[in-house]
Amino acid sequence: MTRKPWRLCLESLLAAVLFSAAPAWAAAVALGFDDARHLLNRTGFAAGIDEVNAFAQLTREQAVGRLLSEAGKPAIMPPPDWVADRMVPPRELRAMSDEQRKAERDLLSRRGLELREWWLQEMLTTSSSLTEKMTLFWHNHFVSSQQKVRYPQLMYRQNALLRHHALGNFGDLLHAVAKDPAMVIYLDSASNRKAQPNENFAREVMELFTLGEGHYTERAVKEAARAFTGWSMDPARGEFLFRRFQHDDGVKTVLGRSGNFDGDAVLDILLAQPQTAEFIVAKLWREFVSPVPDPQEVKRVAGVFRDSRYELRPALRALLTSDAFYAPQNRAALIKSPVELVVGTLRQFGFTTGALTPLVFTTARLGQNIFSPPNVKGWLGGEAWINSTTLLARKQFIGRVFRADEMQPVPAAMAGAGGGLKGAGGLGSDARQRLLQGMADLHFDGDKWLFQFINTEADGVRRLLLASAPVNPLQPGMQGMALIRHLTQDPAYQLK
């Protein structure tokens, strides 16, 4: 039967209204428990049930808006009392006796350990887990390592810099990091002189910080290195220093543009490339959504990123409110990093802690020694977190924290072997004592925690702890600590 023209017009109008209104309707729907848990666990360190229930009442836009409005705060934990101490310049160190140099190395190792404890404590106590997650994200993007930088004061300052810009403007962050003294040391900028350019920073700023591999030429690296000549640091004060007499002030050609460029001008050229926004958004996608970015979605979010002149909040808002972020195929698609596993477990279950030395050694043993990424590319993440050794160590950590009687023997062995903390040196008696005491001070009140689920114990605990159905089915009637141990030992607990 032929439809009448008026009926076709009415159906077309109705379809248009329904189609255009659908996104608005979807945006007005509350997240619910499972979507709220997904959002909070991807952007933080495993949320508690009260926080999940609070966010469950919000829409996507409201929930992400709240996260972003509460993010970007400075650290709440006071820094170690030595962060403003004078650093011993290399020239003075070379003039020391062997015994004095050893004492200085031991001091730097102890302070490096204290710095790691400080950051883990901040992650455990922060009111904005997203801030710390983004600080950790940038730590693995703009990589520096204490092993080469040596001075923990500079590593602390870089950490504060990354936190300050964590959800701010990427362009500002790029310019600031390029002149950060820890980065100047790590990528050899101090040895980049016009008579003999060092290409390390120029290469990494293109390959790892902005464009990605395959999106620049060797000539661009060489020309950019000339622009960065003279970028150095004052070794006595640990501050950035531009040595004008070491700067090549000739004409350079970088990515099709020519001029008497300095380093800041080259960074602006890199920021002007559309590929830079796509490269950063793809990394954010792998951090928050799934291991394999969707090219079309990356281009869409990158457009938002560029239009905002590299403000991170609009890009994150576009990413975290997208359908792709909540898609079923992207649930339980990411593996928790060692820091996420350790900090998330202690936060979610409300552990009380003492010295955090054991947690420093645990995250290092699991493959993530903060302040000492393995190389300039950082931690690869994803499936690289899991191998036969680290998977067993993960299960041992989980089993240990929920079984106090199994904790004590392990730290003693770890203390004698240095605990796998690469670059930290041997432990002194004070550090060994902190390690042992720290494990003894870990405490979990299972009855108090489980009281939250008094009406829906097994199902409520499962939905909070696991991003997917457990691999090993629950036994009928399982409850209490047996339930907690079963779920936390399940392979699904390693996913987010």
Side-chain angles (χ1 to χ4, degrees), residues 240-267:
F240 176 80
L241 179 65
F242 177 59
R243 301 185 187 277
R244 188 174 302 277
F245 64 91
Q246 292 290 358
H247 176 64
D248 183 339
D249 57 3
V251 174
K252 300 99 179 171
T253 300
V254 179
L255 299 177
R257 294 182 58 181
S258 298
N260 183 15
F261 299 135
D262 60 9
D264 285 312
V266 168
L267 295 179

Side-chain angles (χ1 to χ4, degrees), residues 187-202 221-230 246-248 252:
L187 289 181
D188 305 309
S189 292
S191 62
N192 186 15
R193 302 176 174 88
K194 63 180 178 181
Q196 191 174 5
N198 185 301
E199 299 176 5
N200 284 2
F201 179 77
V221 171
K222 294 180 182 300
E223 294 286 276
R226 293 174 56 212
F228 289 114
T229 52
Q246 292 290 358
H247 176 64
D248 183 339
K252 300 99 179 171

Side-chain angles (χ1 to χ4, degrees), residues 385-425:
W385 290 130
I386 301 296
N387 56 47
S388 58
T389 300
T390 59
L391 182 59
L392 177 60
R394 283 170 173 248
K395 294 174 72 67
Q396 288 175 339
F397 163 73
I398 296 298
R400 195 175 307 128
V401 294
F402 289 115
R403 294 181 184 273
D405 57 338
E406 295 179 11
M407 296 182 196
Q408 198 68 11
V410 177
M414 289 170 62
L421 186 57
K422 189 177 180 181

Side-chain angles (χ1 to χ4, degrees), residues 138 142 144 154 157-166 168-185 189 201 205 209-210 228 231-233 238-241 263-264 267-268 271:
W138 294 123
F142 295 110
S144 295
L154 296 186
R157 291 182 206 170
Q158 185 180 78
N159 183 268
L161 174 69
L162 297 178
R163 182 176 292 101
H164 177 73
H165 292 282
N169 184 277
F170 175 73
D172 292 345
L173 174 58
L174 177 65
H175 278 273
V177 168
K179 296 178 181 178
D180 175 68
M183 184 62 70
V184 168
I185 294 173
S189 292
F201 179 77
V205 77
F209 298 170
T210 56
F228 289 114
W231 283 31
S232 188
M233 66 168 284
E239 296 178 355
F240 176 80
L241 179 65
D264 285 312
L267 295 179
D268 287 337
L271 288 168

Side-chain angles (χ1 to χ4, degrees), residues 82-108:
W82 43 257
V83 295
D85 284 3
R86 176 183 179 273
M87 298 178 297
V88 178
R91 182 176 298 178
E92 288 186 26
L93 189 65
R94 288 192 294 270
M96 289 179 177
S97 67
D98 290 344
E99 186 177 347
Q100 289 173 321
R101 280 196 294 271
K102 181 181 183 304
E104 180 66 17
R105 286 195 300 269
D106 290 345
L107 176 65
L108 296 181

Side-chain angles (χ1 to χ4, degrees), residues 107-141:
L107 176 65
L108 296 181
S109 292
R110 289 197 302 272
R111 287 180 170 181
L113 180 59
E114 291 171 11
L115 186 61
R116 291 166 170 86
E117 290 186 48
W118 168 79
W119 194 9
L120 288 176
Q121 186 67 63
E122 181 66 25
M123 294 180 199
L124 285 170
T125 57
T126 181
S127 61
S128 174
S129 291
L130 178 57
T131 300
E132 296 311 307
K133 283 290 289 288
M134 287 302 296
T135 305
L136 187 60
F137 172 84
W138 294 123
H139 175 47
N140 197 40
H141 180 80

Side-chain angles (χ1 to χ4, degrees), residues 142-161:
F142 295 110
V143 171
S144 295
S145 171
Q146 188 188 345
Q147 289 170 264
K148 183 171 182 179
V149 175
R150 293 183 61 249
Y151 300 110
Q153 295 98 318
L154 296 186
M155 297 304 296
Y156 167 77
R157 291 182 206 170
Q158 185 180 78
N159 183 268
L161 174 69

